[in-house]
Structure formats: structure tokens, C-alpha cells
Amino acid sequence: MKLCAVICEYNPLHNGHRYQLEQIRKITECDGIVCIMSGDFVQRAEPAIIDKITRTRCALESGADMVVQLPTLFATANGENFAKGAVQIACLLPHINYLAMGCETDFPEFLYRLAEIQTKKSDEVKKVLDIHLKKGESFPSAYAAATCEIGEKHGIPSDMSQIILSKPNNVLCLEYLKALNSQASDIQPVIIRRTESAISSSKIRIMLSQYPDSVKEYVPDCTLSALQSKRHHFPSPTTYSDIAMYKIKTSTRNQLSCTREIGEGIDYRMSEIAKTTCDLTTFLNKLKTKRYPLSRLKRICLNVVLDITSTMSNIVHDKYRLLGIRNTFKSYLTDLPKQFFSVQYKDAFDMQESAIFNLEKRAHALYTLLTDNPDYSFANKLVIL
């Protein structure tokens, strides 16, 4: 048996995602596709537009054979830790021969070369990175600039590097490639070019807020049905803003300073700005600097809300929840190691892991508030199609 893993959010799942799943089977000729999917909160530090159980069903209907949840600790992290956590799961799953990833370049060979630069020439990159950081640049911008400079020294045209690194999907591809290398994995990367005809999930979310009916031609029936269902509850930005501002306003500076991704006195600025601000969007706009872009600040705020501290990154995470599986793939369950289970039982967690279990409960409780959906169960049964 040879399987392919794909790391995803499906927020929401659209025709481009379905195309990718079709291409995975065509290119790899694999016996099955396992999706490692974010839960109810995604890497943009936002609640998913559709809950993880419904998105799991959409994934299975669109070509996936099994869906494993990417834990909240990884799903809401920066790109590097998002990729590390997801690749770690792929490496634990039996018979995974391939890891598929979507890119936005016609020259994927440069992705491999840039990943090699960031890995094998990391000392050179770091020296240039520090120079850019001292200029007040954000880490992503400084890291991209340093990679371009060192890459050019080793034969990669700077303009090509700049084009590649300007696309978020390409940057995430680099993190996947580096994570595979760091874990000395035998899993082969499969890079699939995104189709020009498929619009992004972010564009679909914008369209939904402005012209809901306009998304019909861009999403499969399963996603459209979920979005149009009378039972579907969209997350409320206003509710999240109120909860986030309350949490920030009532946190001490010491509590803020322990939050994941906080550094360099930003906790003081957060405390001061929060005193005169009640709206999260306004708060973030006042808080952002060249060094702290909105993407990082949004993650910090979600970390505050969910009580994700910097020390939690040291926890060894080895319990992973299965969300769904196709009937024809159920025999694979007998091959899974004990780390994977289908229902969240508290007894499955020891003292250290209980911090992870409690984080998942907090994330679930927050999501039910944001979607005003008290019927959304924490211990949903395994989705089987």
C-alpha cells in the first residue's frame, strides 16, 4: 500500500482543492489520500468558516480517504511550526509515501533549491537576516530578503526568488520541504501547480460576505450545501472582537508576556493600547508596526484568547484525532499506531498532554460561542462515508 498525505485547511473546500485531490491520484497512483486538516481555527488566526466535522465530510466527498485533525497548537502557529506539526503527523502515519503540496510557480525546481538554501546555508542566511531585522523589518520580509541575497550568491536569480517568495503557498511549500528534511523523512514531496481558474479560499470568504450566490461556480456541491444549510452558523467577527478585547484588557502584562509569539515589549504596547480601544480591528491597526505585521499580531491575540503560552511549544504532542474515513478505507485503521484515536476521551491524556486536551476544549467552546451553535458537540463521532 502506498498513500499520499496532504496538509490542508479547506476553509472552505473549493474546486481547486478537488482538482488537487484528483491530480494527486493521477500523479502518484497512490492507494489512498490522507488529509491532515486544521480544526476549527486556522493559521490566519481566525475561526474556520465551516466547522471541522462538516469540512471533513466535504473532504471525503471530494476524494480524500481519511482526515486527521491538525491540533490547534499547530494549526494556529506560524508557518514554520504549522508545517513541522503537520509533517510530524505525516511521518507517524503508516504507508505514507508522498506529501502533496500546492505551489504558485511554473518553476518548482527553484522551491527545492530555496529550501536547500534556507537549510544548508542557514548560518549565511541568519547573518543577513539579522541585518534586515535591525532595520525594523518584519521577520517574514527580512527572511525573504536574506534568502534572496544568499540564494543569488549560490546561483539562484534574485528576481526569481522574489517572485516565488511573494506567494504564501510557495512559502508554505518551503516550510514543508524543510520539515521533511529536518525529520529525515523518506516521504517524497509532490508539488502540484495551482490552477489559474481556481480562486482562493480567502477570495471565496470575501465573496460570501458580499455576494453569497456568486460562489456557486467555484465550490463543489458538498461545500455549497454546507454554506447554504439552515443549520450552518457563520462565525461572528463581532463576538470574537468582544471576547478578544475582554481577554486582552483583563490580562496582566506578565500574562501577556508569557503568550506564544510575544516578544520585545509588545506586551506593554498591547496593555496601553487596550486601555483606550474596544474594537479588535482598531486595536490591531494601532498595534501593528513594520516589525509586527497584522498576521503575527492576529496570532498573538488568538493565543491570548486561547491561553496558548510560549512554554506549550515544548509539549510533546502524540495524540491525534481521526475526524473521518471512507468505508472502503476502514481496513487502514488496523495499521494505525496508538497515537491516533477517533473520539476525544480525557482518559487518553496524561498530565502533560492534558494541557493539549484542555486547549482543544477551549478552542471548541470558543467556536460554539462564535457560531452561536450549542449543539456542536466536542466529541463528535467519526465521520464515515
Side-chain angles (χ1 to χ4, degrees):
M1 175 183 280
K2 60 178 183 179
L3 305 177
C4 182
V6 57
I7 301 163
C8 55
E9 292 187 320
Y10 295 157
N11 184 35
L13 188 147
H14 54 66
N15 291 338
H17 294 132
R18 188 169 61 176
Y19 168 81
Q20 184 192 53
L21 292 170
E22 292 170 353
Q23 289 298 111
I24 287 171
R25 289 194 188 278
K26 182 179 178 180
I27 294 169
T28 68
E29 297 182 342
C30 63
D31 300 304
I33 299 173
V34 178
C35 290
I36 301 167
M37 188 185 78
S38 298
D40 290 327
F41 288 87
V42 296
Q43 212 253 334
R44 293 170 59 89
E46 296 174 354
I49 200 167
I50 302 174
D51 69 79
K52 64 177 179 283
I53 301 304
T54 305
R55 281 159 40 235
T56 293
R57 187 173 296 278
C58 289
L60 295 175
E61 289 186 16
S62 298
D65 293 287
M66 190 174 84
V67 181
V68 179
Q69 181 181 339
L70 178 62
T72 301
L73 187 65
F74 301 135
T76 60
N78 60 30
E80 179 183 3
N81 290 316
F82 176 95
K84 281 182 179 178
V87 169
Q88 177 181 313
I89 297 174
C91 291
L92 286 172
L93 288 163
H95 313 305
I96 299 292
N97 292 78
Y98 309 102
L99 175 64
M101 54 193 82
C103 75
E104 296 176 275
T105 176
D106 291 322
F107 306 97
E109 64 273 14
F110 282 103
L111 288 171
Y112 292 99
R113 293 180 64 184
L114 287 172
E116 189 174 1
I117 290 294
Q118 291 184 346
T119 303
K120 295 185 178 180
K121 306 296 180 182
S122 59
D123 289 342
E124 294 180 51
V125 172
K126 188 178 184 306
K127 288 179 182 178
V128 180
L129 170 66
D130 288 340
I131 294 172
H132 283 275
L133 288 175
K134 287 176 182 177
K135 295 178 182 178
E137 296 178 25
S138 69
F139 182 87
S141 297
Y143 194 43
T147 301
C148 289
E149 289 184 36
I150 302 304
E152 191 164 36
K153 289 183 179 179
H154 294 276
I156 305 176
S158 180
D159 57 346
M160 176 63 73
S161 297
Q162 289 172 11
I163 292 171
I164 289 175
L165 294 172
S166 68
K167 303 292 185 180
N169 280 288
N170 293 340
V171 174
L172 205 48
C173 277
L174 290 178
E175 296 300 343
Y176 295 150
L177 293 172
K178 288 156 58 181
L180 286 172
N181 290 335
S182 68
Q183 298 193 35
S185 172
D186 293 329
I187 295 174
Q188 298 178 40
V190 177
I191 298 177
I192 299 173
R193 179 72 160 92
R194 287 170 59 94
T195 60
E196 297 297 332
S197 59
I199 63 175
S200 67
S201 292
S202 57
K203 182 64 180 293
I204 289 174
R205 292 193 299 272
I206 293 171
M207 291 168 67
L208 280 169
S209 65
Q210 298 174 350
Y211 310 102
D213 291 338
S214 63
V215 304
K216 290 181 180 179
E217 62 182 290
Y218 301 110
V219 299
D221 290 343
C222 53
T223 297
L224 187 62
S225 176
L227 291 169
Q228 293 180 339
S229 170
K230 291 181 180 179
R231 298 179 61 187
H232 179 60
H233 301 250
F234 287 98
S236 167
T238 302
T239 302
Y240 180 63
S241 173
D242 291 344
I243 292 172
M245 290 309 303
Y246 169 79
K247 185 72 175 180
I248 294 166
K249 283 174 174 287
T250 56
S251 295
T252 65
R253 277 195 61 196
N254 184 57
Q255 288 172 322
L256 290 175
S257 67
C258 294
T259 301
R260 182 176 65 176
E261 287 205 61
I262 274 190
E264 302 163 2
I266 196 72
D267 53 308
Y268 174 77
R269 292 192 66 233
M270 289 179 71
S271 294
E272 291 301 303
I273 293 172
K275 290 177 181 177
T276 57
T277 312
C278 294
D279 173 72
L280 183 61
T281 300
T282 304
F283 173 78
L284 289 169
N285 286 328
K286 288 181 178 180
L287 190 62
K288 71 176 180 179
T289 62
K290 286 179 64 177
R291 191 69 179 269
Y292 276 84
L294 278 177
S295 56
R296 181 176 177 182
L297 293 174
K298 285 174 66 178
R299 289 197 303 271
I300 288 174
C301 289
L302 182 58
N303 289 338
V304 171
V305 173
L306 292 177
D307 292 322
I308 301 178
T309 64
S310 55
T311 57
M312 289 182 71
S313 299
N314 300 322
I315 294 176
V316 177
H317 204 316
D318 67 350
K319 291 288 191 297
Y320 302 105
R321 183 180 181 184
L322 302 183
L323 295 175
I325 194 166
R326 295 185 69 85
N327 252 313
T328 54
F329 200 67
K330 286 176 72 173
S331 61
Y332 180 65
L333 294 176
T334 60
D335 294 337
L336 288 178
K338 62 182 180 180
Q339 290 103 317
F340 296 88
F341 58 97
S342 59
V343 180
Q344 294 250 25
Y345 290 119
K346 188 172 183 178
D347 293 343
F349 291 80
D350 62 24
M351 184 174 291
Q352 176 175 256
E353 291 167 332
S354 67
I356 298 298
F357 174 83
N358 290 330
L359 169 57
E360 295 298 341
K361 287 202 73 173
R362 291 195 297 274
H364 177 83
L366 177 60
Y367 195 78
T368 59
L369 287 171
L370 299 181
T371 55
D372 190 23
N373 187 9
D375 296 328
Y376 181 45
S377 172
F378 177 60
N380 281 286
K381 293 181 180 179
L382 187 68
V383 177
I384 301 176
L385 289 186

